[in-house]
Amino acid sequence: MSPRLPSLRALAAVAVLTAWAVALTLLGLRSLGQGGAADLSNEASLRLSPTASWFAVYSGPEQVGSAGITLDTLSPGYRIRETVTMEVPAAGALARASRLTESHLSASLTVEAIRSRFSLGDRQHEWTLSPTHDTLTVGYAAGTLQFGSSATTPTPAISLSAALYRLALTGGLAPGRSREVLVFEGWPPAARATTFQVGRDSVVSFADSAAIDPATGMFTAAHRDSVAVTEVRVNSPLGPHRLWVDRRGAIAGVDWPLGVRWVRSDFDLAVQAFRRAAPGREAGIRMALGNLTPLAAPGTLPDTSRRERRFRIDRRDGGTVSGALMVQLGGGRQALLAGVMRVSPEAPTSPRTPRADGTYDPLVQESAAEIQTAADRATAGTTGMLALDRLAEAIPRMAVVDTSATAPEDALGTLRAHRGRPDGLARLYVALARARGADARYVVGVAPRGDTLLTHAWAEVRDPSSNAWTAVDPVFGRARAGTGLIRLAFAGSSHPDDLRTMLAQARFTSLDSTEAP
C-alpha cells in the first residue's frame, strides 16, 4: 500500500501555523529585549495624568512655609516641578528661602535632566544634573563660580520622586514590602542605596478649595477632599523620613522625624493665606525653626571630646519621635536605643569583609590627577590608618575655611582655590582618602550645644585593620572627630538653611554619665 501524500490544503495549513508560531516567537523575543521599560511606559501612560498638589509646611504647630508639586505630561515623558519656600531667620529678621526644582523624566520614568535653583539673600545658586546610564554629571553656578563634575555608579540611579512613581506602577507599594533602590537626592546631589519600607494604608483628608470669610477677610476651607495613601519609610542619602504616597506614586505628605512636615492643602490656604499672615507671626516662626548655626563659624570652638557621649533625642514641640526612622541613624560609632544616641570614640570592630562605600558624590573627584598627586605628597612614607590620619591633619594646610556664598563646595575646587566651605574641605579629605584606596564617605550632622545646634560636615573612613568606620574631622585637621558630633545624612549641605528641614524641631539633651537611658 503506497503512502498517501498530503493535500495542497493541508500543506497550506501547516505553512500558516508555522508562520504564526514564528511570529509569536519573534514577538516574545522582542518583548524580552525591551525588558520592563516598555511595560512601565505603557502603564505610566495609562495611569499618570497632569496634577498639582499644594502643601503647608509646618514646624510643630507653626506654619513656616509652603510647597507645591506638579506633574505635567510631555510628548514623550513627564516633567515634575517642585517648589519649596520657607521663612528663615536672616540678619535679625525673616527672609524667604525658595527652591525650584524641575525634573524631566522619560516615558519609562528614567530621569533625563534636573535643574534646581535656590535663592536666599546673597545665596543664589543653581544645580543641574544629567544622569546617563551609570554616570551622574552635575553642573554648578553661583555668581562667578562655575564648575562641572561627575561620578560613576554601579547601576543607574534615579530621583526619589521617580522611584516612588516606579514603585507604585509596578506593585512595589503593597503594605509590608521593602525595596532597595539606588537613589540620588540632596543639593548637591549624591547617590546611595535607599531602602523603601512600605507601611499601612490610610486616608489623607485635605482642603481642596478656599473662600474668603466676609467677616474676617481671611481664607477658609470651602471644600474638603480625601485620597487613599500608603505610608513609606525612606532611608535616603538625606537621612530617614516618612512619606505618604497615593496609588499613582504622587506624594501626599512628608514628615521628617525631627524637622518639618508637609500637610496637603489648597493653594490659597497654603500659600496666599500664609504670606498674608507671616509678617505678624515672626516671633512664632523664629521659635519654631530652632537655633542653628555653623560649627565652623569664626570664634566657634570645635568639639574635642573623646569620651563616650550620650544624647536623648526628642522634639521641641513634644511630638513623638518615630523609633523606626531614628534607628536608621545608627551605624559606625553611633548606636540608638530607646531614644538615646550613644556616640563612642571608636566604632566596634566589624568581622565583615569591607565593601564599597555606596555613596556616589559627583563633588568628590577622587580620580583627578591633582587629587592623586596631593594624596601621595601628604602621605609619603606612610600606610594604613597612619596615612589617613596624616591626610586629615594636612587638610587645613591645603585649604582654609570660607563660609561665603561663593566658596567652593567640591573637593577639586577646594584644592585649587586653597579655600572652601566646610563641605568642600570634608569632600577634599574623602577624595584624598579614596585616591589612596580607602573606603571613605562625606557626612553632615550637628554638634549640640545647649539649645543651639551647630551644623557641620565631616567624614568617615573605614579602618583597614578593624573594618570599622572611623569619624574624622578634616575641617579642623583632627584625625578623630569629637564625640559631640552626631551624623544625620550622607549627602547635601551642612548650611543651617539647608538642614532646617530635618532639624527644625530637633532637641538633643546631653545626658550625665550616671543617668540611665
Side-chain angles (χ1 to χ4, degrees), residues 300-469:
T300 305
L301 298 177
D303 180 270
T304 58
S305 174
R306 292 295 299 150
R307 60 182 176 83
E308 180 180 280
R309 299 288 300 276
R310 298 189 305 160
F311 300 89
R312 184 176 298 281
I313 303 176
D314 56 10
R315 293 179 60 92
R316 294 187 298 113
D317 62 359
T320 302
V321 179
S322 170
L325 289 173
M326 295 303 297
V327 74
Q328 298 174 14
L329 295 179
R333 66 176 189 164
Q334 296 183 182
L336 186 67
L337 179 63
V340 174
M341 175 69 75
R342 293 177 181 267
V343 185
S344 303
E346 302 291 342
T349 299
S350 172
R352 296 177 297 177
T353 302
R355 62 179 178 85
D357 164 52
T359 301
Y360 307 94
D361 191 337
L363 273 65
V364 178
Q365 304 102 329
E366 67 264 28
S367 299
E370 294 170 67
I371 294 290
Q372 186 67 60
T373 299
D376 292 341
R377 183 181 299 119
T379 60
T382 60
T383 59
M385 277 305 294
L386 180 59
L388 299 175
D389 293 348
R390 189 75 61 84
L391 285 177
E393 296 162 357
I395 292 295
R397 298 193 297 271
M398 296 182 183
V400 297
V401 175
D402 182 352
T403 57
S404 65
T406 58
E409 296 185 57
D410 66 310
L412 190 57
T414 299
L415 179 64
R416 288 174 173 174
H418 303 294
R419 67 183 182 92
R421 295 186 56 80
D423 307 39
L425 272 69
R427 288 191 175 97
L428 176 57
Y429 172 83
V430 173
L432 296 171
R434 289 182 179 178
R436 291 281 304 185
D439 284 341
R441 59 195 185 193
Y442 163 89
V443 302
V444 297
V446 294
R449 301 280 178 89
D451 294 331
T452 300
L453 294 179
L454 303 178
T455 63
H456 197 45
W458 64 100
E460 292 181 342
V461 64
R462 193 188 290 273
D463 186 336
S465 64
S466 65
N467 290 343
W469 286 103

Side-chain angles (χ1 to χ4, degrees), residues 141-147 406:
T144 59
L145 178 64
Q146 297 186 17
F147 72 88
T406 58

Side-chain angles (χ1 to χ4, degrees), residues 174-238:
R177 289 199 174 184
S178 179
R179 292 275 188 90
E180 187 174 270
V181 181
L182 190 65
V183 166
F184 58 79
E185 196 181 15
W187 298 106
R192 188 173 177 83
T194 296
T195 303
F196 294 81
Q197 294 180 318
V198 183
R200 296 178 298 176
D201 291 337
S202 61
V203 174
V204 169
S205 176
F206 60 94
D208 66 350
S209 61
I212 294 181
D213 184 343
T216 63
M218 304 295 290
F219 283 106
T220 60
H223 183 265
R224 299 190 70 83
D225 198 356
S226 61
V227 61
V229 296
T230 301
E231 178 194 24
V232 181
R233 295 186 296 274
V234 179
N235 186 20
S236 76
L238 288 185

